[in-house]
Amino acid sequence: MNLKSLNLAAGPIFSSLMACGFLVPHQAFAVECGDRILTPTFLTEELHCPLTVDSPYALTIVGPSGYLRMLGEGKITCDNSLGAGIAGVLVEGLSSFVAGGEVDSCPTGIILEGVGSHSILNTKISNSTSDGVEVISDFNFISGSEIIGSGPGSSSTGVAITEGGEYTTISSNFIDDNGIDGIAVRGQNTLVTLNEIVNSGVNGLLINAENTTVTNNFISFNLDDGIDIETGFNTMSGNVIRENGEDGIDVDNVVTGNLINNNYVIDSVELGIAIETNAVGNTIKDNTAQGSGMFDLIDVTENAFCTNQLNTWENNTADTSSPDCLKGL
């Protein structure tokens, strides 16, 4: 056994957990690699799991009765030398969670599947070769976690929200060193707030789903764009976006209906806030964009006299713009 049951007779530990509401009858069962967790379970040691065709997940957690808390030295480390693994932890069913500890060196760190309403809380997910977290189900919550990728040249995305994953909240996480995007949103109605997203190999944040709200994040030092917006009807507000390798905020071709307001975009290598070809009906107001290598503001749809007005520009602070009149609107 690589996992030990907690001794429920240990007064201080038991009392503390009871006070926090973490214990119910019949919990703290020991598990081994490849097990399905159907009851509340605690991991207090490192669990080394070879991933195989027959056992492609280190652990599978099934809610609502099953969940996993990693305490002390609790950690899951994957061995995917056979190339048959899928993930460190698969979460199925309804309303389960993974809390604390670390999931390390797995193809995908944690997959949220099933009905949904799952949570990942205060967990470190490191060195995933694919996604740190993949969200397939709805109404999930990821908070207080460190999601550290495999570095430049890898195919890792920190958090990948698929088309099947809607109403996800990603809050107060540190997301660093992923080979592709820090966060990639392809499921609608996602909230991304209060995260630090840095050192991604492509974009800090890729948005390819409507009704995404991105507020009060720090997005910096990503190789391409801080935020790349590929779809319409999203809101970017109150973010600090600095020193990204291409653009701070880029609204792609033929994208409409986005609100970009009250962001602080500085020292982008190329463009600060960019509205690309045939992108219309977007509102850009009350932003500060300065220190860009080319232009702080650019709207490809606008004419030299700013009379086209296919997008709404209002009260932005910038040193340079294309056309030049844009910064005065």
Short mmCIF file of all heavy atoms in Angstrom, two decimals, residues 181 183-186 202-209 212 214 219 222 224-232 234 236 241 244 246-253 255 258 260 272 274 276:
data_model
loop_
_atom_site.label_atom_id
_atom_site.label_comp_id
_atom_site.label_asym_id
_atom_site.label_seq_id
_atom_site.Cartn_x
_atom_site.Cartn_y
_atom_site.Cartn_z
N ASP A 181 -1.00 27.40 -24.13
CA ASP A 181 -1.72 28.49 -23.48
C ASP A 181 -1.78 28.28 -21.97
O ASP A 181 -1.86 27.15 -21.49
CB ASP A 181 -3.14 28.60 -24.02
CG ASP A 181 -3.18 28.84 -25.53
OD1 ASP A 181 -2.39 29.68 -26.01
OD2 ASP A 181 -3.99 28.18 -26.22
N ILE A 183 -4.46 29.40 -20.14
CA ILE A 183 -5.84 28.94 -20.08
C ILE A 183 -6.42 29.00 -21.48
O ILE A 183 -6.27 30.01 -22.17
CB ILE A 183 -6.70 29.80 -19.14
CG1 ILE A 183 -6.15 29.78 -17.70
CG2 ILE A 183 -8.16 29.34 -19.14
CD1 ILE A 183 -6.88 30.71 -16.75
N ALA A 184 -7.08 27.93 -21.91
CA ALA A 184 -7.77 27.90 -23.20
C ALA A 184 -9.24 27.64 -22.93
O ALA A 184 -9.60 26.60 -22.36
CB ALA A 184 -7.19 26.82 -24.11
N VAL A 185 -10.10 28.59 -23.32
CA VAL A 185 -11.53 28.51 -23.04
C VAL A 185 -12.29 28.20 -24.33
O VAL A 185 -12.33 29.01 -25.25
CB VAL A 185 -12.05 29.83 -22.44
CG1 VAL A 185 -13.55 29.73 -22.18
CG2 VAL A 185 -11.30 30.16 -21.15
N ARG A 186 -12.91 27.02 -24.36
CA ARG A 186 -13.76 26.63 -25.49
C ARG A 186 -15.17 26.26 -25.03
O ARG A 186 -15.99 25.83 -25.83
CB ARG A 186 -13.12 25.49 -26.28
CG ARG A 186 -11.82 25.91 -26.95
CD ARG A 186 -11.17 24.80 -27.77
NE ARG A 186 -10.04 25.31 -28.54
CZ ARG A 186 -8.80 25.43 -28.09
NH1 ARG A 186 -8.51 25.05 -26.84
NH2 ARG A 186 -7.84 25.92 -28.84
N VAL A 202 2.50 30.15 -25.84
CA VAL A 202 1.69 30.83 -26.86
C VAL A 202 0.96 31.98 -26.18
O VAL A 202 1.56 33.01 -25.93
CB VAL A 202 0.74 29.85 -27.58
CG1 VAL A 202 0.01 30.54 -28.72
CG2 VAL A 202 1.53 28.66 -28.16
N ASN A 203 -0.30 31.83 -25.84
CA ASN A 203 -1.07 32.91 -25.23
C ASN A 203 -1.25 32.70 -23.72
O ASN A 203 -1.35 31.56 -23.26
CB ASN A 203 -2.47 32.99 -25.86
CG ASN A 203 -2.40 33.17 -27.37
OD1 ASN A 203 -1.85 34.14 -27.87
ND2 ASN A 203 -2.97 32.22 -28.10
N GLY A 204 -1.32 33.80 -23.01
CA GLY A 204 -1.71 33.68 -21.61
C GLY A 204 -3.10 33.11 -21.50
O GLY A 204 -3.36 32.18 -20.75
N LEU A 205 -4.03 33.70 -22.29
CA LEU A 205 -5.43 33.28 -22.26
C LEU A 205 -5.98 33.28 -23.67
O LEU A 205 -5.93 34.30 -24.37
CB LEU A 205 -6.23 34.24 -21.38
CG LEU A 205 -7.73 34.05 -21.25
CD1 LEU A 205 -8.06 32.66 -20.71
CD2 LEU A 205 -8.32 35.11 -20.33
N LEU A 206 -6.48 32.14 -24.11
CA LEU A 206 -7.14 32.00 -25.40
C LEU A 206 -8.64 31.87 -25.16
O LEU A 206 -9.08 30.99 -24.41
CB LEU A 206 -6.63 30.75 -26.14
CG LEU A 206 -7.39 30.40 -27.44
CD1 LEU A 206 -7.11 31.44 -28.51
CD2 LEU A 206 -7.00 29.01 -27.92
N ILE A 207 -9.43 32.74 -25.82
CA ILE A 207 -10.88 32.69 -25.67
C ILE A 207 -11.51 32.29 -27.00
O ILE A 207 -11.40 33.03 -27.99
CB ILE A 207 -11.43 34.04 -25.20
CG1 ILE A 207 -10.83 34.40 -23.84
CG2 ILE A 207 -12.95 34.00 -25.12
CD1 ILE A 207 -11.21 35.76 -23.36
N ASN A 208 -12.14 31.13 -27.01
CA ASN A 208 -12.83 30.64 -28.19
C ASN A 208 -14.21 30.15 -27.79
O ASN A 208 -14.62 29.04 -28.13
CB ASN A 208 -12.01 29.52 -28.85
CG ASN A 208 -12.51 29.19 -30.24
OD1 ASN A 208 -13.62 29.53 -30.61
ND2 ASN A 208 -11.69 28.51 -31.01
N ALA A 209 -14.92 30.97 -27.01
CA ALA A 209 -16.28 30.65 -26.57
C ALA A 209 -16.95 31.95 -26.14
O ALA A 209 -16.30 32.83 -25.56
CB ALA A 209 -16.26 29.66 -25.41
N THR A 212 -17.61 34.63 -22.08
CA THR A 212 -16.48 34.47 -21.17
C THR A 212 -16.22 35.80 -20.49
O THR A 212 -16.16 36.84 -21.15
CB THR A 212 -15.22 34.01 -21.92
OG1 THR A 212 -15.48 32.75 -22.55
CG2 THR A 212 -14.05 33.86 -20.98
N VAL A 214 -13.51 37.83 -18.07
CA VAL A 214 -12.12 37.80 -17.61
C VAL A 214 -11.88 39.08 -16.81
O VAL A 214 -11.85 40.17 -17.37
CB VAL A 214 -11.15 37.71 -18.80
CG1 VAL A 214 -9.70 37.70 -18.31
CG2 VAL A 214 -11.44 36.46 -19.64
N ILE A 219 -1.63 39.07 -16.23
CA ILE A 219 -1.29 38.24 -17.38
C ILE A 219 -0.02 38.81 -18.01
O ILE A 219 -0.04 39.89 -18.59
CB ILE A 219 -2.45 38.21 -18.40
CG1 ILE A 219 -3.74 37.72 -17.73
CG2 ILE A 219 -2.11 37.33 -19.59
CD1 ILE A 219 -4.97 37.85 -18.59
N ASN A 222 3.98 36.22 -21.51
CA ASN A 222 3.60 35.12 -22.40
C ASN A 222 4.18 35.38 -23.78
O ASN A 222 4.31 36.53 -24.22
CB ASN A 222 2.07 35.02 -22.43
CG ASN A 222 1.52 34.77 -21.05
OD1 ASN A 222 1.65 33.68 -20.49
ND2 ASN A 222 0.91 35.79 -20.44
N ASP A 224 3.23 34.89 -26.97
CA ASP A 224 2.42 35.55 -27.99
C ASP A 224 1.54 36.63 -27.32
O ASP A 224 2.06 37.59 -26.81
CB ASP A 224 1.59 34.53 -28.76
CG ASP A 224 2.44 33.71 -29.72
OD1 ASP A 224 3.66 33.93 -29.81
OD2 ASP A 224 1.88 32.81 -30.36
N ASP A 225 0.24 36.47 -27.33
CA ASP A 225 -0.65 37.49 -26.78
C ASP A 225 -0.95 37.25 -25.31
O ASP A 225 -1.01 36.11 -24.85
CB ASP A 225 -1.98 37.49 -27.55
CG ASP A 225 -1.80 37.79 -29.03
OD1 ASP A 225 -0.82 38.49 -29.38
OD2 ASP A 225 -2.63 37.32 -29.83
N GLY A 226 -1.20 38.35 -24.60
CA GLY A 226 -1.73 38.19 -23.25
C GLY A 226 -3.10 37.55 -23.29
O GLY A 226 -3.34 36.54 -22.64
N ILE A 227 -4.02 38.16 -24.06
CA ILE A 227 -5.36 37.60 -24.27
C ILE A 227 -5.64 37.60 -25.77
O ILE A 227 -5.57 38.65 -26.41
CB ILE A 227 -6.45 38.41 -23.56
CG1 ILE A 227 -6.18 38.50 -22.05
CG2 ILE A 227 -7.83 37.79 -23.81
CD1 ILE A 227 -7.19 39.36 -21.30
N ASP A 228 -5.95 36.45 -26.32
CA ASP A 228 -6.33 36.31 -27.73
C ASP A 228 -7.80 35.95 -27.78
O ASP A 228 -8.21 34.90 -27.29
CB ASP A 228 -5.48 35.24 -28.41
CG ASP A 228 -5.75 35.13 -29.90
OD1 ASP A 228 -6.38 36.05 -30.46
OD2 ASP A 228 -5.34 34.12 -30.51
N ILE A 229 -8.62 36.83 -28.39
CA ILE A 229 -10.07 36.65 -28.41
C ILE A 229 -10.51 36.22 -29.80
O ILE A 229 -10.40 36.99 -30.76
CB ILE A 229 -10.79 37.96 -28.01
CG1 ILE A 229 -10.28 38.45 -26.64
CG2 ILE A 229 -12.30 37.75 -27.98
CD1 ILE A 229 -10.78 39.81 -26.26
N GLU A 230 -11.01 35.01 -29.91
CA GLU A 230 -11.40 34.44 -31.20
C GLU A 230 -12.91 34.41 -31.41
O GLU A 230 -13.36 34.04 -32.50
CB GLU A 230 -10.84 33.02 -31.34
CG GLU A 230 -9.32 32.95 -31.32
CD GLU A 230 -8.79 31.56 -31.55
OE1 GLU A 230 -9.56 30.59 -31.42
OE2 GLU A 230 -7.58 31.43 -31.87
N THR A 231 -13.68 34.78 -30.39
CA THR A 231 -15.15 34.75 -30.48
C THR A 231 -15.72 36.02 -29.88
O THR A 231 -15.02 36.77 -29.19
CB THR A 231 -15.73 33.54 -29.73
OG1 THR A 231 -15.21 33.54 -28.40
CG2 THR A 231 -15.38 32.24 -30.41
N GLY A 232 -17.01 36.23 -30.11
CA GLY A 232 -17.66 37.45 -29.66
C GLY A 232 -18.38 37.33 -28.33
O GLY A 232 -18.49 36.26 -27.75
N ASN A 234 -17.82 38.67 -25.22
CA ASN A 234 -17.05 38.40 -24.02
C ASN A 234 -16.67 39.72 -23.35
O ASN A 234 -16.71 40.77 -23.98
CB ASN A 234 -15.78 37.61 -24.37
CG ASN A 234 -16.09 36.33 -25.11
OD1 ASN A 234 -16.68 35.41 -24.54
ND2 ASN A 234 -15.72 36.25 -26.38
N MET A 236 -13.68 41.69 -21.00
CA MET A 236 -12.34 41.77 -20.40
C MET A 236 -12.31 43.04 -19.56
O MET A 236 -12.40 44.14 -20.11
CB MET A 236 -11.24 41.87 -21.46
CG MET A 236 -11.34 40.91 -22.62
SD MET A 236 -11.06 39.21 -22.16
CE MET A 236 -12.67 38.52 -22.54
N ILE A 241 -2.07 43.58 -17.87
CA ILE A 241 -1.52 42.76 -18.95
C ILE A 241 -0.22 43.43 -19.39
O ILE A 241 -0.24 44.51 -19.99
CB ILE A 241 -2.53 42.68 -20.11
CG1 ILE A 241 -3.86 42.09 -19.61
CG2 ILE A 241 -1.98 41.83 -21.26
CD1 ILE A 241 -5.00 42.28 -20.57
N ASN A 244 3.98 41.15 -22.80
CA ASN A 244 3.73 39.94 -23.58
C ASN A 244 4.42 40.05 -24.94
O ASN A 244 4.64 41.14 -25.46
CB ASN A 244 2.23 39.74 -23.72
CG ASN A 244 1.60 39.37 -22.39
OD1 ASN A 244 1.75 38.25 -21.90
ND2 ASN A 244 0.93 40.33 -21.75
N GLU A 246 3.77 39.41 -28.12
CA GLU A 246 3.15 40.03 -29.30
C GLU A 246 2.19 41.13 -28.82
O GLU A 246 2.62 42.24 -28.56
CB GLU A 246 2.47 38.98 -30.17
CG GLU A 246 3.46 38.05 -30.86
CD GLU A 246 2.82 37.12 -31.86
OE1 GLU A 246 1.58 37.18 -32.06
OE2 GLU A 246 3.55 36.30 -32.44
N ASP A 247 0.90 40.85 -28.72
CA ASP A 247 -0.08 41.86 -28.33
C ASP A 247 -0.57 41.65 -26.90
O ASP A 247 -0.60 40.53 -26.40
CB ASP A 247 -1.28 41.81 -29.27
CG ASP A 247 -0.89 41.93 -30.75
OD1 ASP A 247 0.21 42.45 -31.02
OD2 ASP A 247 -1.68 41.51 -31.60
N GLY A 248 -1.00 42.75 -26.28
CA GLY A 248 -1.61 42.64 -24.97
C GLY A 248 -2.97 41.98 -25.06
O GLY A 248 -3.22 40.93 -24.47
N ILE A 249 -3.90 42.62 -25.82
CA ILE A 249 -5.23 42.06 -26.09
C ILE A 249 -5.44 42.11 -27.59
O ILE A 249 -5.34 43.18 -28.20
CB ILE A 249 -6.35 42.86 -25.39
CG1 ILE A 249 -6.15 42.85 -23.87
CG2 ILE A 249 -7.72 42.28 -25.75
CD1 ILE A 249 -7.15 43.71 -23.11
N ASP A 250 -5.75 40.97 -28.19
CA ASP A 250 -5.95 40.88 -29.64
C ASP A 250 -7.34 40.34 -29.93
O ASP A 250 -7.67 39.22 -29.53
CB ASP A 250 -4.88 39.97 -30.25
CG ASP A 250 -4.98 39.90 -31.77
OD1 ASP A 250 -5.43 40.90 -32.38
OD2 ASP A 250 -4.61 38.86 -32.34
N VAL A 251 -8.17 41.16 -30.61
CA VAL A 251 -9.48 40.72 -31.06
C VAL A 251 -9.35 40.29 -32.52
O VAL A 251 -9.04 41.10 -33.39
CB VAL A 251 -10.52 41.85 -30.92
CG1 VAL A 251 -11.88 41.38 -31.42
CG2 VAL A 251 -10.62 42.30 -29.45
N ASP A 252 -9.56 39.01 -32.79
CA ASP A 252 -9.26 38.43 -34.09
C ASP A 252 -10.23 38.89 -35.18
O ASP A 252 -11.25 39.53 -34.91
CB ASP A 252 -9.27 36.90 -34.00
CG ASP A 252 -8.05 36.37 -33.27
OD1 ASP A 252 -7.22 37.17 -32.81
OD2 ASP A 252 -7.93 35.13 -33.15
N ASN A 253 -9.92 38.51 -36.40
CA ASN A 253 -10.73 38.86 -37.57
C ASN A 253 -12.20 38.45 -37.40
O ASN A 253 -12.49 37.36 -36.89
CB ASN A 253 -10.19 38.19 -38.83
CG ASN A 253 -8.77 38.62 -39.15
OD1 ASN A 253 -8.33 39.68 -38.72
ND2 ASN A 253 -8.06 37.80 -39.91
N VAL A 255 -14.65 39.25 -35.49
CA VAL A 255 -15.14 38.97 -34.14
C VAL A 255 -15.88 40.20 -33.64
O VAL A 255 -15.40 41.32 -33.77
CB VAL A 255 -13.97 38.61 -33.19
CG1 VAL A 255 -14.44 38.58 -31.76
CG2 VAL A 255 -13.36 37.28 -33.59
N ASN A 258 -17.52 42.28 -28.24
CA ASN A 258 -16.73 42.17 -27.02
C ASN A 258 -16.63 43.52 -26.31
O ASN A 258 -16.59 44.58 -26.94
CB ASN A 258 -15.32 41.68 -27.35
CG ASN A 258 -15.32 40.24 -27.81
OD1 ASN A 258 -15.52 39.32 -27.03
ND2 ASN A 258 -15.12 40.04 -29.11
N ILE A 260 -14.15 45.57 -23.82
CA ILE A 260 -12.79 45.65 -23.27
C ILE A 260 -12.70 46.96 -22.52
O ILE A 260 -12.65 48.03 -23.13
CB ILE A 260 -11.73 45.57 -24.38
CG1 ILE A 260 -11.88 44.26 -25.16
CG2 ILE A 260 -10.33 45.72 -23.82
CD1 ILE A 260 -11.08 44.21 -26.44
N GLY A 272 -0.62 46.99 -28.23
CA GLY A 272 -1.28 46.97 -26.93
C GLY A 272 -2.65 46.34 -27.01
O GLY A 272 -2.86 45.21 -26.57
N ALA A 274 -5.51 45.46 -29.93
CA ALA A 274 -5.60 45.37 -31.39
C ALA A 274 -6.95 44.82 -31.81
O ALA A 274 -7.38 43.78 -31.32
CB ALA A 274 -4.48 44.48 -31.94
N GLU A 276 -8.68 43.47 -35.15
CA GLU A 276 -8.22 42.99 -36.45
C GLU A 276 -9.26 43.21 -37.56
O GLU A 276 -10.34 43.77 -37.33
CB GLU A 276 -7.85 41.51 -36.34
CG GLU A 276 -6.79 41.19 -35.30
CD GLU A 276 -5.39 41.59 -35.70
OE1 GLU A 276 -5.20 42.10 -36.82
OE2 GLU A 276 -4.46 41.41 -34.87
#
